């Protein structure tokens, strides 16, 4: 029996959790309901690490990187259980990575779900919106 592909893992988790998955421009976008009528999109892109091992990069936009208290973001990084604050294309994001060869459905689901929940919380707390 062959190991499921990373995409198969994401699709099965999304189906079980009621998440919506879309594919565009070489990435997956997972729309995760976060409660109270809010949701958060987690984007998944493929990459390689320094040892040329296949990884996936999970990221979720929080808002514009302009006028952000970067010190607060770094302090929050020390408390986050999943991912960390990063800048991507002028946006403040939460980002996490994972080796593809070791992808475990429970860990993939936890990474996506927790990254969405944290990003949504910071989007609400820092910007007072539900845009991403």
């Amino acid at each position: 029996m062959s190991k499921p592909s990373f995409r198969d893992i994401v699709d099965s988790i999304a189906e079980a959790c009621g998440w919506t998955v879309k594919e565009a421009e070489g990435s997956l976008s997972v729309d995760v309901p976060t409660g109270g009528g809010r949701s958060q999109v987690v984007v998944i892109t493929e990459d390689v690490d320094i040892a040329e091992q296949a990884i996936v990069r999970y990221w979720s936009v929080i808002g514009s990187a302009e006028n952000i208290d970067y010190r607060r973001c770094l302090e929050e990084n020390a408390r986050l259980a999943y991912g960390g604050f990063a800048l991507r294309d002028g946006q403040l994001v939460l980002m996490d990575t994972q080796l593809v060869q070791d992808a475990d459905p429970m860990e993939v689901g936890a990474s996506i779900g927790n990254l969405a929940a944290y990003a949504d919380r910071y989007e609400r707390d820092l910007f007072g919106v539900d845009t991403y």
Side-chain angles (χ1 to χ4, degrees), residues 3-64:
K3 184 176 178 179
S5 71
F6 185 81
R7 173 65 194 258
D8 291 340
I9 292 171
V10 171
D11 286 340
S12 67
I13 293 165
E15 183 178 340
C17 295
W19 301 342
T20 304
V21 179
K22 294 179 184 173
E23 186 170 0
E25 301 176 22
S27 66
L28 298 176
S29 295
V30 184
D31 192 357
V32 179
T34 55
R38 296 175 62 90
S39 66
Q40 191 73 22
V41 174
V42 175
V43 178
I44 306 169
T45 56
E46 296 177 357
D47 206 341
V48 293
D49 68 10
I50 196 168
E52 298 295 318
Q53 297 179 94
I55 65 167
V56 290
R57 189 174 305 277
Y58 305 98
W59 54 275
S60 187
V61 176
I62 298 168
S64 173

Side-chain angles (χ1 to χ4, degrees), residues 66-114:
E66 291 183 32
N67 304 316
I68 291 298
D69 180 353
Y70 295 111
R71 181 179 180 94
R72 177 177 177 201
C73 292
L74 290 172
E75 289 169 347
E76 290 293 324
N77 274 349
R79 289 188 276 279
L80 287 170
Y82 292 87
F85 284 97
L87 300 177
R88 183 178 175 101
D89 300 326
Q91 301 288 318
L92 180 66
V93 302
L94 279 183
M95 186 175 287
D96 202 359
T97 59
Q98 183 173 36
L99 284 170
V100 171
Q101 74 182 38
D102 295 336
D104 172 79
M106 293 291 286
E107 290 178 13
V108 172
S111 291
I112 294 169
N114 283 293

